[in-house]
Each structure stands twice: as structure tokens, then as C-alpha cells.
């Protein structure tokens, strides 16, 4: 757990750059905010109160989650990895937690999240999610303007906010997914649920404010699973890939039978 965003950002970017045996196999960042649901169930029961207090004291805490896979042959390296993480990362002192779980349980962990949301009545409700890619060079501006400026000033938040970097060279450039034109960009997932006191329109308006802030600030984000209504916006989104994308559509789907819902070519 981190109370300092700069340290959180620095450690995430360093970890995704490591290619040796001491590197991690999985990395994800999340935000815990005092105006949202502070889920402490991952942490030992004896530590849950002080984790919640940390969030309340700082208003926002940055959670760095990493995983290292191992089997009987690679078991000896685990202690080295844990030692490296504990000595080199800049997390809040005393707030590093470790769980050792079977591989299937790790892969199936989202099922547990679903059950939590169902128990809170936040599953079968509208989910106006916003997923965007933000260039590394502007992530501080995004954090200050969106996370501190907009999200923390909401009366309440209900959902998960993901916040972590990824290497662009790990993405297949032949795919239609678009990302910022930088070697490293951040995946931001604002996975909110319109339950309780908030309705879906309020969350839609918040998403619009976030997009507008990026537009006004010149932050060249890319939306994931967007739905533009104008052809000009689709052309802008795909950029240099647009004409290849259009050519392939004409060649392989001339009757426009595939993916009609987003109206990209209509």
C-alpha cells in the first residue's frame, strides 16, 4: 500500500521493465478512496482496521498487487523475489501483505469479487464503466485532474478503480485496439456501479467530465470499448490504422454483418 503517488508510479514502471528471474509475472494497481467502499477482505483480519484507517487518514491509498508464479523447480527463487520487493519498493512501512494461493484460485479471483458485489447489491445494476489508456508522459496531469480533482470530490464512489502501466510492445499492433503512441501507457479502469444513492446518469456525466478534462488538457487518451456516433471520431480514434481497418472490412465483411453494434462503418 502506498500513500505517495509518485512512489507508486515509479515502482510500477520499474517492475514492468524487469526481464530477469526476479521480475514479477502479474502487476495491477488499484485505488482505495475514503469516499468509496473500502474493501479490506484481502488483508489479514488483524490488519483490516489499520488498513481502513490508512485510507481515511490519506483519503486515497494506492494498492500495488503483484504475483510471482512458481513450481517445485522454481521455488528457491521466491524468497529472493520477496526480499527484492520488500527492500526496494517504496510502499508505506508495515503495509506489505503476502498470500500464497493455488494457481487456479488466483485465476478465479474475479469470481470472488463478483460474489462481493452481489452481496452488496451492486452486480445486477447499470455499470457505466470507463476504460481508457493514458500516455505515461501525462499520467501526473491525469492523476491530479481526474483522481484528485474529480473522483475524490464525488459524494461517493461505488466500484473499483484500476490504475497500472503496461508496455506497448506487449500489444500486437495488428489488432484493432488503439493505444497512445508512447512506449509505456497506463490502463485506467473506472469500474463504477450505479447502485445505492447514485444513478447511472450521474456516472455517465462523470465519465463525460473525465473525457472533457483530457480533451481540454491535451492528454491524448484512447478509449477502450468506446461508442462514437460520428464517423470523424472513429477516424480520429484509429488514426493511421483507419484505412487498413476500412480496407479489411470491405474485403472480409462486405455485407457488414460483423460487429454492427458500434456503428463504426455505418
Amino acid at each position: 500500500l502506498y500513500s505517495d503517488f509518485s512512489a507508486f508510479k515509479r515502482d510500477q514502471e520499474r517492475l514492468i521493465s524487469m526481464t530477469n528471474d526476479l521480475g514479477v509475472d502479474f502487476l495491477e494497481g488499484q485505488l482505495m478512496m475514503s469516499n468509496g467502499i473500502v474493501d479490506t477482505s484481502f488483508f489479514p483480519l488483524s490488519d483490516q482496521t489499520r488498513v481502513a484507517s490508512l485510507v481515511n487518514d490519506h483519503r486515497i491509498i494506492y494498492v500495488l498487487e503483484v504475483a510471482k508464479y512458481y513450481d517445485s523447480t522454481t521455488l528457491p527463487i521466491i524468497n529472493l523475489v520477496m526480499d527484492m520487493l520488500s527492500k526496494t519498493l517504496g510502499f508505506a512501512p508495515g503495509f506489505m501483505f503476502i498470500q500464497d494461493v493455488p494457481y487456479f484460485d488466483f485465476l478465479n479471483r474475479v469470481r470472488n469479487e463478483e460474489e462481493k458485489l452481489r452481496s452488496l447489491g451492486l452486480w445486477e445494476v447499470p455499470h457505466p464503466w470507463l476504460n481508457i489508456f493514458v500516455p505515461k508522459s501525462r499520467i501526473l496531469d491525469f492523476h491530479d485532474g481526474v483522481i484528485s480533482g474529480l473522483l475524490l470530490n464525488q459524494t461517493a464512489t461505488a466500484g473499483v478503480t484500476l490504475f497500472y502501466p503496461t508496455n506497448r510492445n506487449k500489444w500486437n499492433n495488428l489488432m484493432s485496439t488503439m493505444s497512445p503512441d508512447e512506449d509505456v501507457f497506463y490502463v485506467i479502469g473506472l469500474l463504477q456501479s450505479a447502485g445505492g444513492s447514485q444513478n447511472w446518469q450521474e456516472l455517465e456525466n462523470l465519465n463525460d467530465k473525465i473525457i472533457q478534462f483530457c480533451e481540454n488538457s491535451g492528454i491524448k487518451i484512447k478509449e477502450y470499448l468506446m461508442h462514437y456516433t460520428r464517423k470523424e471520431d472513429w477516424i480520429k480514434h484509429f488514426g493511421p490504422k483507419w484505412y487498413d481497418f476500412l480496407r479489411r472490412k470491405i474485403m472480409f465483411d462486405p455485407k457488414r454483418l460483423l460487429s454492427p453494434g458500434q456503428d463504426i462503418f455505418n
Side-chain angles (χ1 to χ4, degrees), residues 13 87 99 215:
E13 292 173 5
K87 289 182 178 179
Q99 283 190 11
E215 183 80 19

Side-chain angles (χ1 to χ4, degrees), residues 2 75 98 102 113 126 186 205 212 231 263:
Y2 293 71
L75 179 58
I98 300 173
E113 297 299 322
Y186 274 74
N205 292 340
Q212 192 60 53
K231 182 177 180 180
D263 284 338

Side-chain angles (χ1 to χ4, degrees), residues 11-71:
D11 284 351
Q12 286 197 106
E13 292 173 5
R14 184 171 69 86
L15 286 172
I16 67 166
S17 71
M18 296 176 66
T19 57
N20 56 31
D21 290 339
L22 293 180
V24 298
D25 296 306
F26 168 89
L27 180 146
E28 185 174 84
Q30 292 192 32
L31 308 185
M32 298 174 72
M33 291 179 279
S34 58
N35 61 340
I37 298 172
V38 180
D39 182 7
T40 60
S41 59
F42 171 87
F43 308 102
L45 187 60
S46 58
D47 291 304
Q48 291 180 7
T49 298
R50 69 188 190 98
V51 169
S53 296
L54 190 72
V55 178
N56 288 329
D57 290 344
H58 293 277
R59 295 192 67 205
I60 180 168
I61 287 296
Y62 310 93
V63 183
L64 172 58
E65 180 184 3
V66 298
K68 184 69 176 178
Y69 309 145
Y70 70 91
D71 54 24

Side-chain angles (χ1 to χ4, degrees), residues 133-156:
F133 301 147
V134 181
K136 171 188 167 183
S137 64
R138 301 299 306 276
I139 198 62
L140 286 174
D141 297 326
F142 180 89
H143 172 272
D144 293 346
V146 173
I147 305 302
S148 298
L150 291 175
L151 292 186
L152 268 182
N153 290 320
Q154 291 290 108
T155 304

Side-chain angles (χ1 to χ4, degrees), residues 17-260:
S17 71
M18 296 176 66
T19 57
N20 56 31
D21 290 339
L22 293 180
V24 298
D25 296 306
F26 168 89
L27 180 146
E28 185 174 84
Q30 292 192 32
L31 308 185
M32 298 174 72
M33 291 179 279
S34 58
N35 61 340
I37 298 172
V38 180
D39 182 7
T40 60
S41 59
F42 171 87
F43 308 102
L45 187 60
S46 58
D47 291 304
Q48 291 180 7
T49 298
R50 69 188 190 98
V51 169
S53 296
L54 190 72
V55 178
N56 288 329
D57 290 344
H58 293 277
R59 295 192 67 205
I60 180 168
I61 287 296
Y62 310 93
V63 183
L64 172 58
E65 180 184 3
V66 298
K68 184 69 176 178
Y69 309 145
Y70 70 91
D71 54 24
S72 57
T73 60
T74 56
L75 179 58
I77 203 172
I78 292 299
N79 287 335
L80 295 176
V81 173
M82 293 299 102
D83 189 56
M84 179 274 293
L85 293 175
S86 64
K87 289 182 178 179
T88 62
L89 298 184
F91 54 88
F95 286 94
M96 176 177 175
F97 304 91
I98 300 173
Q99 283 190 11
D100 191 8
V101 299
Y103 186 53
F104 175 81
D105 290 354
F106 174 73
L107 295 181
N108 197 45
R109 66 196 183 284
V110 175
R111 172 63 177 170
N112 295 328
E113 297 299 322
E114 176 188 337
E115 291 174 348
K116 289 177 194 173
L117 290 173
R118 285 188 183 279
S119 70
L120 295 170
L122 296 175
W123 185 256
E124 296 195 26
V125 296
H127 295 76
W129 288 3
L130 177 64
N131 294 279
I132 54 179
F133 301 147
V134 181
K136 171 188 167 183
S137 64
R138 301 299 306 276
I139 198 62
L140 286 174
D141 297 326
F142 180 89
H143 172 272
D144 293 346
V146 173
I147 305 302
S148 298
L150 291 175
L151 292 186
L152 268 182
N153 290 320
Q154 291 290 108
T155 304
T157 60
V160 175
T161 300
L162 304 180
F163 201 113
Y164 58 93
T166 183
N167 293 304
R168 190 165 182 252
N169 62 14
K170 298 292 186 181
W171 295 65
N172 187 338
N173 195 46
L174 295 177
M175 295 167 58
S176 60
T177 301
M178 297 301 299
S179 62
D181 190 18
E182 292 188 9
D183 292 339
V184 174
F185 60 91
Y186 274 74
V187 178
I188 312 294
L190 305 173
L191 313 183
Q192 302 221 59
S193 303
S197 61
Q198 283 187 312
N199 61 49
W200 66 268
Q201 190 61 59
E202 290 176 340
L203 295 177
E204 286 278 15
N205 292 340
L206 176 62
N207 291 343
D208 290 341
K209 288 179 182 178
I210 292 170
I211 297 299
Q212 192 60 53
F213 169 82
C214 294
E215 183 80 19
N216 295 342
S217 303
I219 302 176
K220 296 181 179 179
I221 63 171
K222 290 293 184 181
E223 283 189 67
Y224 180 69
L225 297 180
M226 79 306 296
H227 191 157
Y228 296 121
T229 57
R230 301 188 312 152
K231 182 177 180 180
E232 293 82 359
D233 292 326
W234 285 114
I235 294 175
K236 178 182 177 183
H237 172 77
F238 285 108
K241 282 187 181 181
W242 170 255
Y243 291 105
D244 285 338
F245 198 34
L246 179 61
R247 190 179 307 113
R248 289 168 185 158
K249 184 71 173 180
I250 295 171
M251 180 181 298
F252 296 111
D253 186 23
K255 294 184 179 181
R256 300 181 179 180
L257 300 178
L258 303 177
S259 300

